[in-house]
Every structure is written in C-alpha cells, then in structure tokens.
Amino acid sequence: MQEIQTAPETPKTKLKRKTGSLQKKETMAGILFVGPMLIGVTVLTLIPILATFMLSLADWNFIAGFKDLKWVGLDNFERLFQDDAFLKSLRNNAYFLLTVPIYLAVSMFLAIMIDKHVYMKSYFKVAYFMPYISSIVAVAIVWQVLFHPSAGPVNQLLLSLGIDNPPKWIADPKYALPSLMMISVWVSIGFNMIVYIAGLQSIPRDLYEAADIDGANAWNKFKSITFPQLSSTSFFLLVTGIISTFKVFDLIAILTKGGPISSTSMIVWYLYDTAFVNLKIGYASSMAVVLFACVMLITLLQWVGQKKWVNY
C-alpha cells in the first residue's frame, strides 16, 4: 500500500501556527484575569437590574415567597403617576438638582482663588476636602445640632442679630428641604474643588501670558481661557453630580426620615420605605425603573448638549 506523503511545513506556516497558539493563550489568560470581575458585575449588577425590570410588572411581597407573585403588567406605573407621595418625592428631587450648579460655581471660584491667590494652599485643600471624606453620619449629627430650633448655634446667632423668630430648619416643612440642600452643598464643595484645581493646573500658562500681553483683565481671561479650558471638567462633575442627587438617601435617613410632612422625601427614600417597610416589592421596582429612566434621560440630554459648550 502506497503511503501518502505530506508536504513539509514551511516557516510561514509554523509562524502562523505559533501565533494562533499564542493568541489563544493570551485570550485564556485575559478571561481568567477578567473572570472574577465579570462574575461580580453579573451577579451584583446585571441580574438585579433585570430582576427589577421584571418585578416592576408584578405585585409581590417577598416574605410570602414566589407562590404569591402576580403579574399585573403596567398597573404599577399607572398607580405610580397617580400617587401624590411619589409625585411629591419626584418634585423634591427636581428641587434638589439646584444644588449641583450652586456647588459647582462655588467650587470653581474657590479653586481659582486657592490656585492663584492664596498661601498655604495645601491647608485649604485639606480643610475644604474634610467634609467630603468624613462619615456622613457624623456630618449629619453635627448639622442636626447646628440646626436645633431653640438651642442650635445657628438660631442663637440669628437671635443675637435681632431676628426674633428664626426658622426651625429641619423641623419646619418650609425649610427642611433647603436645609438638606445647604448641607449637601457644604459636603460636595471639597471634592469638586480638588477636581477643578487639577483642571486648572493642566491649563497651559502660555495662554495667560498671551492674554496679559494683549491687556486682558481678569474677567476676560476667565471667560475666554479658564472657563472654556475647564468645560470638560465641568461636564464630568455636572453629570456625576446630577446622578448623585437622584441617589441621595443617607442625609434623609439620619436627619428627617422623609419628614416633616414628606417635605424631604426623595425617590430613593420613598422606594426604600415602600420596599423594606411596606414590603411592596413590585411597586418599589416600578419606582426604580422610573428613577433609571429619569437619570438616563437627563444624562442623554447633557451628552447631546455638551457639544455646544464643552471643549476637548
């Protein structure tokens, strides 16, 4: 029987075979390195998101088990937009969004002052950054003492200035939400200021030297150089800041519990109260879907709008 002879392997074929084997090994190594992270993201993020979307179409009390799960379609969403408590929480979240441009403006101003006109810069950076890295529980308790209606230092100062009937702050439905907004601004200034300082230090000094030669004043330099060069930083802080305002929970849980008279109730707080106090998991999941839609819509609008004012 005649033997079949195979053609000898050329150097080019050997190179291709070795390259393919090396690529497979690199792919397997990459999968092994990324695998734990992918498992964590899948189990802790993707599956809960999918479960939330599914449960938003159901009426379910998780204590009773899956046997009492009832599919109700879009009934939860119909109830949601007829729920005065939810609509009030949504309005409060909309008001709370005003904190973002306020602390961005204050942070940019402080960053410019500290970067150019202040000695002991490191001290001021640490001083303004401390509230951000401090425990939110400790911060909330300090402000609870400061805003005490009768014995608090804030009202004692106002009384000494001749104001006979100062606000009751977090105990007053009219002032509770503005009080939380002031605390949020105070806490957020430090982080945003540090990011702005980093952005300022990356601006080429040649631009300011050219502006000085042309006789530009401080306002013209800010309008034509500083603000445009910081626009990408501002966009990043604006997006992350708006997302964080929709997630505000800890201040409310410690200071007001959504009161007085639901004046400080936000979507996340109302969602928590519905899911883990009243045990209405399906209804709470529909709130989470609406919250996701709000954040996604606002982020998309910002992404489209940034083309008109952000310089990269």
Side-chain angles (χ1 to χ4, degrees):
M1 186 175 180
Q2 188 176 3
E3 294 183 359
I4 300 174
Q5 295 182 353
T6 58
E9 194 174 25
T10 63
K12 191 173 183 180
T13 306
K14 289 182 180 180
L15 180 62
K16 284 184 179 180
R17 183 168 54 81
K18 289 181 179 180
T19 302
S21 177
L22 182 61
Q23 287 178 346
K24 288 180 181 179
K25 290 180 180 179
E26 290 180 348
T27 302
M28 289 301 299
I31 292 173
L32 289 175
F33 277 112
V34 180
M37 186 272 293
L38 290 178
I39 293 172
V41 170
T42 302
V43 174
L44 301 176
T45 304
L46 296 180
I47 292 177
I49 289 174
L50 294 175
T52 299
F53 277 91
M54 292 177 62
L55 290 173
S56 67
L57 305 174
D59 181 14
W60 182 48
N61 185 326
F62 69 89
I63 292 180
F66 287 104
K67 61 182 180 180
D68 287 341
L69 189 147
K70 298 177 182 178
W71 298 104
V72 295
L74 298 176
D75 288 354
N76 284 331
F77 295 96
E78 292 179 5
R79 287 175 53 202
L80 205 59
F81 290 101
Q82 297 173 359
D83 186 348
D84 292 336
F86 173 77
L87 294 176
K88 187 169 186 178
S89 300
L90 193 60
R91 285 196 298 270
N92 289 340
N93 257 122
Y95 292 139
F96 208 83
L97 287 175
L98 296 175
T99 60
V100 179
I102 293 173
Y103 66 63
L104 285 183
V106 175
S107 300
M108 184 183 291
F109 174 77
L110 291 174
I112 293 172
M113 292 296 103
I114 291 174
D115 187 56
K116 292 185 178 180
H117 305 293
V118 174
Y119 295 102
M120 298 176 62
K121 296 180 181 181
S122 299
Y123 167 77
F124 286 99
K125 291 178 184 178
V126 172
Y128 281 110
F129 195 64
M130 280 299 294
Y132 183 78
I133 61 175
S134 299
S135 168
I136 195 64
V137 176
V139 169
I141 291 174
V142 168
W143 279 98
Q144 190 174 36
V145 173
L146 291 174
F147 280 150
H148 192 278
S150 57
V154 174
N155 277 0
Q156 290 296 320
L157 175 63
L158 294 177
L159 288 170
S160 66
L161 294 175
I163 300 175
D164 296 330
N165 190 21
K168 298 187 184 300
W169 303 110
I170 57 176
D172 188 336
K174 294 182 179 179
Y175 292 94
L177 185 59
S179 300
L180 292 183
M181 293 170 68
M182 284 190 284
I183 298 172
S184 179
V185 169
W186 182 76
V187 169
S188 304
I189 283 174
F191 170 76
N192 292 272
M193 185 194 72
I194 294 297
V195 176
Y196 271 130
I197 289 176
L200 286 169
Q201 292 175 350
S202 66
I203 298 176
R205 297 302 168 189
D206 297 345
L207 298 176
Y208 292 106
E209 292 173 2
D212 289 332
I213 294 173
D214 291 338
N217 56 28
W219 168 249
N220 287 329
K221 285 190 285 188
F222 171 78
K223 183 179 65 173
S224 302
I225 300 174
T226 305
F227 186 77
Q229 292 291 320
L230 289 177
S231 59
S232 58
T233 304
S234 299
F235 176 65
F236 164 74
L237 294 175
L238 182 65
V239 172
T240 55
I242 288 178
I243 292 174
S244 67
T245 58
F246 276 100
K247 299 190 299 181
V248 62
F249 174 81
D250 36 21
L251 282 176
I252 299 170
I254 299 165
L255 289 175
T256 63
K257 302 286 190 298
I261 320 176
S262 300
S263 59
T264 59
S265 177
M266 307 277 184
I267 296 178
V268 174
W269 172 259
Y270 188 49
L271 187 156
Y272 163 81
D273 187 64
T274 303
F276 300 107
V277 177
N278 298 320
L279 304 178
K280 299 178 181 178
I281 302 301
Y283 194 50
S285 297
S286 65
M287 295 182 203
V289 172
V290 172
L291 177 62
F292 173 82
C294 290
V295 173
M296 182 64 70
L297 178 62
I298 292 175
T299 304
L300 288 175
L301 290 175
Q302 291 178 93
W303 190 261
V304 172
Q306 58 94 19
K307 297 177 182 178
K308 297 182 178 180
W309 65 278
V310 178
N311 299 307
Y312 293 102

